[in-house]
Each structure stands twice: as structure tokens, then as C-alpha cells.
Amino acid sequence: MSKSDIEFDRQHIWHPYTSMLNPLPAYKVESAKDCTLTLDTGHQVIDGMSSWWAVIHGYRNPRLDAVAHSQIDKMSHVMFGGITHQPAIDLARRLIEMTPEPLQRVFIADSGSVSVEVAIKMALQYWLAQERPEKHRLLTIKGGYHGDTFKAMSVCDPVNGMHHLFNKAINSQLFADAPSLTPDEDWAETAGDELRHWFERHHGELAAIILEPIVQGAGGMRFYHPEYLKLIRQLCDDFDVLLIADEIATGFGRTGKLFACEHAGITPDILCVGKALTGGYMTLAAALTTKKVAETIGHGPGGGALMHGPTFMGNPLACAVAAESLAIIAEGKWQQQVAEIEAQLKQELLPLAKYSAVKDARVFGAIGVLEMHHPIDVAVAQKRFIELGVWIRPFGRLLYIMPPYVISTNELNRLTVAMKDYAETQSSIKRFNNQRSKETSRLNSS
């Protein structure tokens, strides 16, 4: 990238969660193949992020490339109002086949955030159709993240999330404490007492509870006990509240199950999927719901229509690639791939908890996390990772990887070695600072 290009990017292009006054460095990618990104300098880095958890089959996957080329020769887009097409039919059929039997109705959306908006609209219209407008609020758990659009922001963590600046502009929702027990801990019946309290006290106004099942992603990379999810499903049934499962990050095998809800053996009333849906090729998501929810809405006001219709809904190009991505998943190779990734992450990451700069090391499925004691300087860390030949994008105090399923043992090792390098370096800095502080205190006291 020429100096003028770098300067243009810096001055004019707004990157995610970045200030235009002092933006983080942006590295130019020229090409990508399998698990490797090639920068404009010719330097190659192993992608530990799956391009924000989406590129599960690797870059330039031959099957997905072929489908994309074939579809674009037919039509790249056509409106979905009053028109349908084979890619959308194929995609919906595959989604219905691989999700639990009650989920029979599919709304194809533009992105994960939009699918959350659609799911919330479904829940609200469901109760309006039953002439129960008082059931209009949402319950969620702290520490969650559901997207950047306004209704999605309203159910993200209101204090430690990324959207606290907008708290006065978004609807006030209800937030229960985040589950405290991890999947590795023993379940205690008292752990669900607070959740029961929320349902007992607020069920009359609750349209739905929305949460990320088992794994809270961008809100903190936390893993919680499946029994919480079982309890929530039961509470929803007992108190007449819908359950929305946001599986945008966890769906399609990331946690070791096809969907994270399977760890608890439950089915939501509405399921949101996205990210890996197209294998990371382009933006696409979906909200699936039951026949009961769909038909109840159908008998409601507004002619029974679900009041949402994006311009690029059901985009044929995206649907064709997504259908092929799901065909790859249906072959089942991901199960062994994710199991092997999890085993290697546990062997190579969990021991890093011994370093003084590391607060916690945790692994779940193809997710590896180092939680540091202090916030990470992203620019400094990113520069070091590039030098080590890896692409890892930390946030807050979290250094984590969610690699493509097709990653090799050696490639994954290079990622974990880079994380170890960071943990060692930060621990050395911490020891040095502690020693200097002690010496300064000794000199001041003498």
C-alpha cells in the first residue's frame, strides 16, 4: 500500500470501533487462501479470527468459489418481494433440515444484527396478535452482545458493552446477572434463583428473553453452564415468554455442537444465525421460528405480515453460497476438526494461566481465550502479532482466537505460541514495574 493510500485510508475511511482522530493502524490485505492472509508487503499471517468468526471453511474454498461463480453468471440479485428463486429455497430447506424440528419458518435477513431486529419484531408481533400489547419488554443477561442496530443495542450489556453512549436513546430492557457457573463446574439448583425471580416478577410484561446460548461472545467471551439454558427454557414455558437464541457467533459447530443450544438439549422459539452461514463469503443471516409463532403473527394486525423487508433480503448470490456452505457442514467433517482444535487449545493455552499478567485461560470448542488483568494496547499487540506471522485482534482485556475449522496443527500452534509470547512479555513488564515500584518505595522511605 503506497503512502498516499495509507494516508487516504487514515483520513477518510472509518473502520469498526475506531476514532477518526487517532485511528488504529490498518493493514492492507492483497489476497487470502485457506487460513493465510497475504499483506501488500508480501508478508503472510495466519488468521486466528476467521474474519470475525465467519470463515470456517477457509478462504477461497474451491466449492464455495465455484458456486459463487456459477450463480453470478445467472443473477447476482433480484428483489424478494413477490419473487422467489432456487438458492433461497435450497438455503431454507437446509436450515430447516439441520435445526430442531419445531423451527419450520425462515426469514432470510441481511446481517446478524438485522436478524436480531427481525427476531424481536417477531416476538412483539406475536403478542400483539394475541391482543397482549403489555408484553413488550425484553429480558436478557448481563455481559451479552447482540449487534449494533438500535433494538439489538438495547439488549447488549448496558454498562460494560460497546453501546453505553446510547443508553438514553434506546429502549430500557431488563438485565439479569450473567450466569456465574462455568460448564466445568458442578450445577447447584440455587444458581437459578435470580432468573426465577425475574420471570416471577416481570413475566406479565415480557415478550421474550434473548441470549447467546452457552457462550457470550463479543461481550466478554464467557462460557456458562448448560443447566442455565435448560432452566430458562422451562421458565419460558411456565411463564408464557418466548425464548430467542442468538447463535450468530456459536452456530454451525463453533462450540463443538452444531448449535450451542444442543449442549442443553433445548429448542428456542426463535433462532438467529449468521456469520458462518455463508462460510464468511458475504453478509447473510436468518431468523427461524416455529409454525405457532408464524401463524399467530399471521392472524394479527397489519394483515398478518411480518413488518420487515430489506432491499437485499434473500440475495441469490449469498443464498447460493450459504446453501453450499451448509452442504459442507452437513458432511460432518467439522466435528473432528473442532474436536481436534479444542484438544490442542486446551493443551497449549490453558497452561498460560500461570503467567502473572493472565487473569484466566479458557477453551470451549474452537474458541480459545486469554483474559488479561489489564486492557490490551491493540496497536502494539497487533504489530507484534504481525511480526510473528499471525493475525489476532484483541479487544478490551481479551486475547482470543476462533480459527477456521480447516486450520492445521502447525498453523494453530503458531497462533498459540504468539499468545504465549504476549503473556510472557506482559508478565515480564509487570514484574519489572513491581520491582521498580518496590525500589522507589524503599528509596522514599530511607
Side-chain angles (χ1 to χ4, degrees):
M1 182 158 42
S2 69
K3 186 175 181 180
S4 61
D5 285 341
I6 294 173
E7 193 58 31
F8 179 88
D9 187 288
R10 184 177 180 84
Q11 290 185 10
H12 298 284
I13 302 179
W14 220 324
H15 288 264
Y17 300 105
T18 299
S19 167
M20 287 299 294
L21 292 178
N22 186 30
L24 291 168
Y27 298 87
K28 186 181 180 185
V29 175
E30 289 290 341
S31 64
K33 174 65 176 172
D34 298 328
C35 299
T36 301
L37 307 178
T38 300
L39 306 183
D40 66 321
T41 59
H43 192 62
Q44 293 188 323
V45 294
I46 297 165
D47 180 17
M49 311 306 294
S50 299
S51 278
W52 270 340
W53 327 339
V55 185
I56 57 175
H57 308 303
Y59 297 94
R60 288 172 55 196
N61 180 281
R63 287 173 60 173
L64 300 186
D65 280 5
V67 167
H69 283 293
S70 175
Q71 182 58 43
I72 207 166
D73 287 338
K74 298 174 184 176
M75 59 180 173
S76 59
H77 182 62
V78 64
M79 67 183 289
F80 211 51
I83 292 174
T84 193
H85 47 77
Q86 197 62 45
I89 294 168
D90 292 343
L91 172 59
R93 181 174 281 124
R94 287 197 174 276
L95 282 170
I96 290 171
E97 286 173 352
M98 65 174 38
T99 53
E101 192 276 333
L103 299 171
Q104 293 286 315
R105 303 293 185 265
V106 183
F107 190 99
I108 305 171
D110 301 53
S111 68
S113 295
V114 174
S115 74
V116 169
E117 299 284 334
V118 170
I120 292 172
K121 282 186 177 180
M122 285 180 181
L124 296 176
Q125 283 195 234
Y126 175 80
W127 296 111
L128 286 172
Q130 298 179 72
E131 298 183 350
R132 299 185 66 183
E134 73 279 3
K135 290 177 75 66
H136 67 283
R137 298 189 74 184
L138 301 168
L139 173 65
T140 187
I141 54 178
K142 295 176 183 176
Y145 173 81
H146 299 282
D148 295 341
T149 53
F150 264 76
K151 207 66 177 179
M153 285 196 299
S154 77
V155 287
C156 294
D157 192 287
V159 177
N160 298 312
M162 294 178 278
H163 305 122
H164 63 277
L165 295 176
F166 305 101
N167 282 350
K168 291 186 178 180
I170 58 181
N171 298 92
S172 175
Q173 309 295 0
L174 302 175
F175 291 85
D177 287 341
S180 58
L181 294 180
T182 69
D184 296 326
E185 294 178 299
D186 292 333
W187 175 251
E189 289 301 324
T190 54
D193 287 350
E194 199 220 359
L195 283 167
R196 290 189 187 91
H197 166 78
W198 282 98
F199 277 86
E200 290 168 355
R201 186 173 179 181
H202 295 283
H203 65 91
E205 61 179 330
L206 286 181
I209 179 171
I210 180 170
L211 45 74
E212 300 155 282
I214 312 301
V215 174
Q216 291 186 297
M221 290 295 168
R222 301 178 189 88
F223 314 143
Y224 63 88
H225 203 291
E227 287 294 331
Y228 285 106
L229 197 54
K230 284 185 181 180
L231 173 63
I232 289 169
R233 175 70 274 179
Q234 186 60 55
L235 291 171
C236 286
D237 293 340
D238 292 345
F239 289 99
D240 212 10
V241 175
L242 295 180
L243 171 56
I244 302 172
D246 177 352
E247 292 243 24
I248 294 162
T250 54
F252 309 116
R254 178 58 67 178
T255 69
K257 300 285 188 181
L258 189 56
F259 296 98
C261 284
E262 294 177 24
H263 289 284
I266 65 101
T267 300
D269 300 294
I270 305 172
L271 173 69
C272 296
V273 294
K275 287 192 181 292
L277 180 59
T278 65
Y281 268 54
M282 60 201 74
T283 181
L284 193 71
L288 290 83
T289 192
T290 63
K291 178 181 177 181
K292 178 183 177 182
V293 169
E295 292 188 352
T296 300
I297 292 172
H299 288 107
L306 179 63
M307 301 308 294
H308 203 90
T311 301
F312 288 93
M313 177 180 175
N315 173 259
L317 183 57
C319 287
V321 174
E324 186 65 16
S325 175
L326 297 189
I328 295 173
I329 291 170
E331 292 170 2
K333 293 180 181 178
W334 65 269
Q335 293 171 304
Q336 181 177 352
Q337 291 168 334
V338 171
E340 290 175 353
I341 291 170
E342 181 178 44
Q344 186 174 349
L345 289 177
K346 286 182 175 179
Q347 181 179 5
E348 297 176 6
L349 278 192
L350 294 185
L352 304 186
K354 68 183 180 182
Y355 288 105
S356 61
V358 177
K359 181 180 179 181
D360 185 38
R362 49 189 182 267
V363 172
F364 197 78
I367 307 168
V369 184
L370 291 186
E371 182 175 350
M372 314 304 291
H373 283 289
H374 301 291
I376 298 170
D377 186 322
V378 176
V380 172
Q382 206 97 77
K383 183 175 183 295
R384 177 57 178 162
F385 292 141
I386 292 290
E387 292 170 354
L388 293 172
V390 299
W391 179 252
I392 301 174
R393 178 77 168 182
F395 72 92
R397 294 184 292 110
L398 299 174
L399 184 62
Y400 75 98
I401 54 174
M402 296 175 77
Y405 299 166
V406 296
I407 196 165
S408 69
T409 300
N410 289 338
E411 289 171 327
L412 185 54
N413 176 252
R414 287 183 62 184
L415 290 168
T416 60
V417 166
M419 296 172 77
K420 180 181 179 181
D421 176 89
Y422 183 84
E424 287 179 334
T425 301
Q426 294 304 305
S427 297
S428 296
I429 292 171
K430 185 177 180 180
R431 284 195 301 272
F432 175 79
N433 289 338
N434 288 343
Q435 184 63 33
R436 186 172 61 177
S437 177
K438 288 178 182 178
E439 290 176 358
T440 300
S441 298
R442 180 176 56 82
L443 290 171
N444 290 337
S445 61
S446 61

